[in-house]
Amino acid sequence: RDRLRSRGLGDVYKRQGLLFGRTVCGWLCPFGFIQELLYKIPSPKFTKNKAMRTLTKLKYIIGLLFVIILPVIFFYVVGVGAPAFCKYICPAGTLEAALPLLSTNPFLKQNLGMLFNWKLFLLLVTVIASIVIYRPFCRFICPLGAFYSLFNKLSYFGIQVDNVKCIGCDACIRKCKMDCAKVGDRECINCGECIDTCCLLYTSPSPRDRSLS
């Protein structure tokens, strides 16, 4: 049953990826929205750079280790595949699920341990980082964002540029707060902020036009 559920959930994520790509990250993720609100707090900001672009690869390593390798190891050792990322890292789950449950269930409060303290620490680090870095969890940690990024160039929805008329001024890339090297690449969350900078950019509610690439 666990294998069937995993396959079913995987199929759902694949369909979402093919349909939306990282549009899910830009428009539907509640934790992404919270990070954006935190980033609006006045403070010194760390703007994107080459080092941060390199750090975006970390989420693929985390996804491979905590979503695939460790659950498989748990399955063969104890007979049950543990959701390692959700259990040991995910600050979104701590904020959106664990804390609300604790506020309404006194029994849970009596059974808190080091694992919860660790996850609460990670949440606090993420909150503080989100004030000075734009969407740090989305850019560097989130394995679901890493998965959706694999579908960005294939997805039904997305941002496109008319490459025939584009002069390569990179105004759109400079406007982008994510770590995009070009429009619609794996780091693009299709937020649409770059569209205001160039008349050659547009949202695509239809399959990608290969003639423009």
Side-chain angles (χ1 to χ4, degrees):
R1 289 182 179 179
D2 289 338
R3 290 183 179 180
L4 289 175
R5 288 174 182 172
S6 297
R7 289 177 182 175
L9 189 60
D11 288 340
V12 170
Y13 286 142
K14 288 176 185 176
R15 292 190 182 100
Q16 288 181 343
L18 287 170
L19 182 60
F20 298 110
R22 291 198 74 182
T23 302
V24 174
C25 307
W27 293 93
L28 300 178
C29 177
F31 197 61
F33 176 65
I34 291 170
Q35 289 174 86
E36 291 209 12
L37 292 180
L38 290 169
Y39 191 73
K40 292 181 182 294
I41 297 175
S43 69
K45 307 296 183 184
F46 290 95
T47 56
K48 64 180 183 180
N49 51 49
K50 290 183 178 180
M52 288 186 176
R53 173 76 181 183
T54 302
L55 275 177
T56 62
K57 298 176 182 178
L58 179 61
K59 61 179 172 285
Y60 299 95
I61 298 173
I62 290 174
L64 181 64
L65 179 60
F66 284 88
V67 179
I68 299 176
I69 295 177
L70 285 180
V72 170
I73 292 175
F74 277 119
F75 179 80
Y76 281 103
V77 172
V78 300
V80 179
F85 179 80
C86 298
K87 185 175 182 178
Y88 297 113
I89 297 180
C90 187
T94 305
L95 178 64
E96 298 166 9
L99 293 181
L101 281 174
L102 287 171
S103 67
T104 59
N105 193 325
F107 175 76
L108 291 177
K109 295 179 182 179
Q110 300 172 7
N111 293 276
L112 297 179
M114 289 299 297
L115 180 58
F116 176 77
N117 293 334
W118 163 249
K119 293 194 66 178
L120 187 60
F121 169 74
L122 291 181
L123 174 60
L124 291 175
V125 169
T126 303
V127 168
I128 294 171
S130 297
I131 296 174
V132 297
I133 301 173
Y134 184 74
R135 282 181 173 244
F137 178 75
C138 305
R139 292 162 67 185
F140 312 131
I141 306 297
C142 182
L144 189 55
F147 177 77
Y148 284 140
S149 75
L150 303 177
F151 297 91
N152 243 16
K153 292 185 177 181
L154 303 172
S155 63
Y156 190 81
F157 292 90
I159 306 293
Q160 290 206 55
V161 58
D162 187 342
N163 288 321
V164 176
K165 298 179 180 178
C166 177
I167 61 173
C169 68
D170 286 339
C172 52
I173 301 303
R174 291 193 297 272
K175 174 75 172 181
C176 179
K177 297 188 188 77
M178 297 294 285
D179 300 278
C180 296
K182 60 181 179 179
V183 174
D185 72 2
R186 60 181 174 83
E187 294 305 316
C188 179
I189 59 174
N190 300 316
C191 65
E193 287 191 16
C194 60
I195 292 178
D196 294 335
T197 66
C198 181
C199 63
L200 301 179
L201 293 170
Y202 57 95
T203 56
S204 174
S206 58
R208 301 266 174 174
D209 184 356
R210 302 297 181 185
S211 67
L212 296 180
S213 61

